[in-house]
Amino acid sequence: MRIGVLVKQVPATENVKIDEKTGVMMRSGAESELNPLDMYAVEEAVRIKERLGGEVVVLSMGPPSAEYAVRDALSMGCDRGFLISDRLFAGSDTLATARILSAAILKLGGFDMIFAGERATDGETGQVGPGVAARLGVSLITYVRKISDVDNFRVVAERAVEEGTEIVEAALPALITVVKEINEPRVPDLAGKIGSMFAQIPVLSGKDISINKEKVGLKGSPTRVAKVFYPKLTRNGRIIDGKDPEKAVAELIRFLKEKSIL
Amino acid sequence: MGNFGGVWILAEQRNGKIRGVSYELLSWGRDIADKLQAPLVAVVLGSGLKKDAESFIFRGADEVIAVDEPPLAFDAPDAHSAVLEFLVRKHKPEVFIALATTYSRTVMPMLAVKLETGLTADCTSLDVEGGTRLLIQTRPAIGGNVMATIKTPFTKPQMATVRPGARKPPKEDKTRIGKIVFEKVPESLLKSSVKLVGFVKDETSEIPLQEADVVVAGGKGMKNAKSFEMLFEIAELLNGAVGASRQAVDMGWISYAHQIGLSGKTVNPKLYIAAGISGAVQHIAGMSSSRYIVAINKDPDANIFKVADFGITGDLFEILPLLIKALKEEGKKNERI
Ligand SMILES: Cc1cc2nc3c(=O)[nH]c(=O)nc-3n(C[C@H](O)[C@H](O)[C@H](O)COP(=O)(O)OP(=O)(O)OC[C@H]3O[C@@H](n4cnc5c(N)ncnc54)[C@H](O)[C@@H]3O)c2cc1C
Ligand SMILES: Nc1ncnc2c1ncn2[C@@H]1O[C@H](COP(=O)(O)O)[C@@H](O)[C@H]1O
């Protein structure tokens, strides 16, 4: 089984604090990390390889620093990693990213299964996985909470939808996007950590993956960010003391009526 | 770029039934269509749609395009996106919006890639720029810490998904009339490499969390699984759903399906009640766009009070039982009226 995993480097959000006066984001500590959900994608890929044999190849598109996201994935048991990086890729939106990742996947000879996170914590679009599947023309299963069965030809998976769980079967090759429920990612052992530190991570440029430079980066992206602003989070609501709980609840009921909820 | 025109919304069905949230899109779509002076078209794919097609007209659509084929009963993403691609290439809408649900967040990105156009995820507001007719798409990013306004200036259709729960569906007006077209599409588009083999309904939540008008959420302060029963009772009384913080989920008091926040679900209800939740940024990320936020926490410095419209500093084990009692009394009063 040849398995690919798509991982993204994101700002380390637990370190993001908002300056209350200016509303500006203040970052402290490590600047970036492997997208948390992608660890679940890596874990599932490695588990399947451990069961069925084969190899897991991890890919990340991003600036040179995204190499660390690849190393993190390698430390969890992926066999090889590639960084897809080129100055021309800067400013890619989800369409351009899907084109780049698909071109790299094809260049590497394709995979039987490709794993991605359901969404990344920075853009939170969740559009890259389905986009890659569409581009490659492979089966797609999103929001996967469990892989029930997999062999060399097909995969059966549970996907979490609004009203419950769908059980679906897809022919391979397939791209799977995972949610947190799917597994408990392993903590890399020392050997894995050291191995990943010394691993060679080839960099694939736009030329290497033979992509049209008009179709990548800002130039190749149909969407444009026109403005970024910081929302006011503070609401200055009414806070009352609950020492007298009866009275507090009566006030709450009044509030709910005022807002025509009751 | 040729004559693109019309505002489309993508309605959803599951198990042969139109999903109620789809009607919210008609509120979003009607505003945009009026600003663009363009027709509003509801598009729906599925099986057995005849009986429901009119409901979109009653709620504000000028036209319905339905593709009614048994293989489309299941939301197979390849078949659904192929059929939508066919329809878009044929009719060339200027704007195409859908909900940020599991269905549309799967199908729309595939469609956007096939059409090589832009798609803006999970918008909280949409507007039209006068003159250019461009769609102004506003969405939160980085856990709601930042808002971005996005345009799709060069390609059409301009596509976006919007948060469910943000708008109310328009009222039904059975006198409205409009065109209903059942389109035929090439058979080859209906083929899928993904098939449904089973469905397990979630029995704990009658109303999907992301679509509920009221969300009653609990955190680590709830102390145990048993006390979540209070939240389920309140949710039932208010016709809502139950949510939780990651701590509560990690403790195993409630399943991950209920987790709200950065690594869980994003909700947008009219009322959000947070009981025993400290209000970590990652939690706020999933609920800060709620219309009204009520917080109950014994720590007066808890961050959740900063985003609360109404807060009670106190012990939830005293307050929640009284709230249940009060809500029951309110319910009785309403019965008498
Ligand atoms: C990458 C990442 C992603 C994350 N994603 C999410 C996410 O999606 N969702 C999420 O929620 N968190 C998420 N977190 C975790 C988040 O940082 C917090 O740890 C979590 O939200 C805290 O949950 P809590 O408020 O229930 O618990 P705590 O922070 O422990 O707060 C419990 C609160 O209950 C109050 N309390 C205790 N007893 C009582 C009582 N008797 N009456 C009233 N109040 C009481 C306490 O004063 C306290 O404020 C994420 C973290 C990371 C790093
Ligand atoms: N630049 C990238 N390189 C590799 N994988 C990516 C990249 N961007 C997104 N992905 C994958 O797509 C998923 C969804 O990301 P997003 O669409 O950005 O929310 C991530 O969890 C990754 O698995």
Side-chain angles (χ1 to χ4, degrees), chain A residues 13-14 33 36 121 180, chain B residues 218-223 244-248 250 253 256 259-265 275-284 296-299 302-304 312 314-317:
Chain A
T13 26
E14 73 257 48
E33 62 180 9
T121 52
K180 244 185 77 183
Chain B
K220 192 145 172 227
M222 296 298 296
K223 299 281 188 309
S245 74
R246 171 160 153 188
Q247 289 286 346
D250 285 352
W253 300 338
Y256 170 70
Q259 184 174 317
I260 290 171
L262 194 62
S263 45
K265 293 189 166 125
I277 290 176
S278 62
V281 277
Q282 295 89 352
H283 187 79
I284 306 269
I296 303 164
N297 195 305
K298 65 181 182 189
D299 172 10
N303 202 43
I304 192 80
I312 303 178
D315 188 346
L316 65 89
F317 290 96

Side-chain angles (χ1 to χ4, degrees), chain B residues 104-126:
Chain B
S104 295
R105 283 177 62 104
T106 304
V107 170
M108 291 291 270
M110 293 187 83
L111 178 63
V113 163
K114 288 170 189 239
L115 297 168
E116 303 203 82
T117 187
L119 171 63
T120 305
D122 216 9
C123 295
T124 49
S125 96
L126 294 177

Side-chain angles (χ1 to χ4, degrees), chain A residues 6-8 35 38 59-61 97 101 116-120 124-129:
Chain A
L6 306 178
V7 303
K8 185 179 190 181
N35 176 38
D38 297 351
L59 305 181
S60 188
M61 191 277 276
T97 304
L101 289 171
E118 189 275 307
R119 69 181 73 184
E124 294 181 65
T125 76
Q127 290 177 179
V128 169

Side-chain angles (χ1 to χ4, degrees), chain B residues 114-311:
Chain B
K114 288 170 189 239
L115 297 168
E116 303 203 82
T117 187
L119 171 63
T120 305
D122 216 9
C123 295
T124 49
S125 96
L126 294 177
D127 203 353
V128 172
E129 189 173 71
T132 62
R133 297 174 69 88
L134 288 181
L135 194 61
I136 308 290
Q137 309 159 106
T138 302
R139 65 176 306 255
I142 324 195
N145 288 322
V146 178
M147 301 293 287
T149 299
I150 292 166
K151 295 181 198 171
T152 307
F154 315 116
T155 54
K156 299 256 158 29
Q158 306 163 79
M159 308 211 318
T161 59
V162 297
R163 286 207 177 159
R167 301 284 300 266
K168 279 232 160 318
K171 289 229 152 47
E172 255 192 323
D173 170 1
K174 298 220 167 165
T175 64
R176 278 195 98 247
I177 48 172
K179 197 162 99 186
I180 297 175
V181 184
F182 282 87
E183 286 252 6
K184 282 284 157 217
V185 300
E187 192 115 352
S188 60
L189 302 181
L190 303 174
K191 283 210 189 74
S192 173
S193 60
V194 185
K195 63 173 196 261
L196 184 70
V197 291
F199 185 80
V200 185
K201 202 171 164 331
D202 181 0
E203 297 299 342
T204 59
S205 61
E206 268 313 308
I207 308 164
L209 189 53
Q210 281 150 300
E211 289 155 22
D213 269 344
V214 175
V215 172
V216 190
K220 192 145 172 227
M222 296 298 296
K223 299 281 188 309
N224 52 52
K226 179 104 180 56
S227 55
F228 265 81
E229 283 167 20
M230 292 192 285
L231 303 185
F232 277 100
E233 196 167 352
I234 296 168
E236 202 180 309
L237 289 162
L238 291 172
N239 215 353
V242 173
S245 74
R246 171 160 153 188
Q247 289 286 346
V249 171
D250 285 352
M251 303 301 277
W253 300 338
I254 188 161
S255 73
Y256 170 70
H258 296 267
Q259 184 174 317
I260 290 171
L262 194 62
S263 45
K265 293 189 166 125
T266 302
V267 295
N268 219 5
K270 193 161 171 208
L271 172 67
Y272 189 90
I273 302 181
I277 290 176
S278 62
V281 277
Q282 295 89 352
H283 187 79
I284 306 269
M287 46 68 83
S288 62
S289 55
S290 305
R291 182 86 177 83
Y292 300 110
I293 295 173
V294 169
I296 303 164
N297 195 305
K298 65 181 182 189
D299 172 10
D301 296 324
N303 202 43
I304 192 80
F305 288 125
K306 295 201 180 118
V307 297
D309 297 288
F310 188 95

Side-chain angles (χ1 to χ4, degrees), chain A residues 11 13-18 20 23 25 27 36-37 40 93-95 98-99 118-143 156-173 179-182 215 218-219 221-231 233-262, chain B residues 14 19 74-75 77-78 100-103 105-106 109-114 116-122 137-155 161 163 193-202 205 208-211 214 238 246 250 255-257 259 262-264 266 270-271 273 281-282 284 287-294 296 303 305-315 318-319 322-323 325-327 330 333-334:
Chain A
T13 26
E14 73 257 48
N15 296 325
V16 174
K17 293 244 157 51
I18 298 288
E20 275 167 47
M25 187 165 37
R27 272 191 206 142
L37 258 186
Y40 297 78
D93 70 358
T94 56
L95 173 64
R99 286 182 183 135
E118 189 275 307
R119 69 181 73 184
T121 52
D122 55 352
E124 294 181 65
T125 76
Q127 290 177 179
V128 169
V132 170
R135 192 95 189 145
L136 294 173
V138 301
S139 306
L140 170 67
I141 316 181
T142 51
Y143 297 90
V156 181
E158 290 184 7
R159 67 188 291 264
V161 298
E162 286 79 3
E163 292 89 354
T165 304
E166 279 180 2
I167 301 150
V168 299
E169 182 180 320
L172 299 190
V179 297
K180 244 185 77 183
E181 236 177 332
I182 193 164
K215 296 281 188 181
L218 195 59
K219 212 174 184 181
S221 295
T223 58
R224 286 285 178 280
V225 177
K227 192 171 78 179
V228 170
F229 57 102
Y230 297 89
L233 274 181
T234 309
R235 294 195 183 202
N236 294 318
R238 222 171 103 223
I239 312 299
I240 60 168
D241 196 323
K243 269 205 202 79
D244 182 348
E246 302 264 1
K247 203 172 136 225
V249 168
E251 292 274 319
L252 173 54
I253 296 284
R254 198 167 315 142
F255 172 83
L256 296 178
K257 283 184 177 160
E258 223 172 81
K259 304 299 179 198
S260 45
I261 287 158
L262 285 182
Chain B
R14 187 161 286 137
R19 303 190 66 239
F74 164 57
D75 297 340
D78 44 2
T101 52
T102 57
Y103 168 67
R105 283 177 62 104
T106 304
M110 293 187 83
L111 178 63
V113 163
K114 288 170 189 239
E116 303 203 82
T117 187
L119 171 63
T120 305
D122 216 9
Q137 309 159 106
T138 302
R139 65 176 306 255
I142 324 195
N145 288 322
V146 178
M147 301 293 287
T149 299
I150 292 166
K151 295 181 198 171
T152 307
F154 315 116
T155 54
T161 59
R163 286 207 177 159
S193 60
V194 185
K195 63 173 196 261
L196 184 70
V197 291
F199 185 80
V200 185
K201 202 171 164 331
D202 181 0
S205 61
L209 189 53
Q210 281 150 300
E211 289 155 22
V214 175
L238 291 172
R246 171 160 153 188
D250 285 352
S255 73
Y256 170 70
Q259 184 174 317
L262 194 62
S263 45
T266 302
K270 193 161 171 208
L271 172 67
I273 302 181
V281 277
Q282 295 89 352
I284 306 269
M287 46 68 83
S288 62
S289 55
S290 305
R291 182 86 177 83
Y292 300 110
I293 295 173
V294 169
I296 303 164
N303 202 43
F305 288 125
K306 295 201 180 118
V307 297
D309 297 288
F310 188 95
I312 303 178
T313 57
D315 188 346
E318 288 171 23
I319 291 155
L322 290 172
L323 179 60
K325 207 172 119 212
L327 289 174
E330 288 301 321
K333 263 190 234 159
N334 289 341

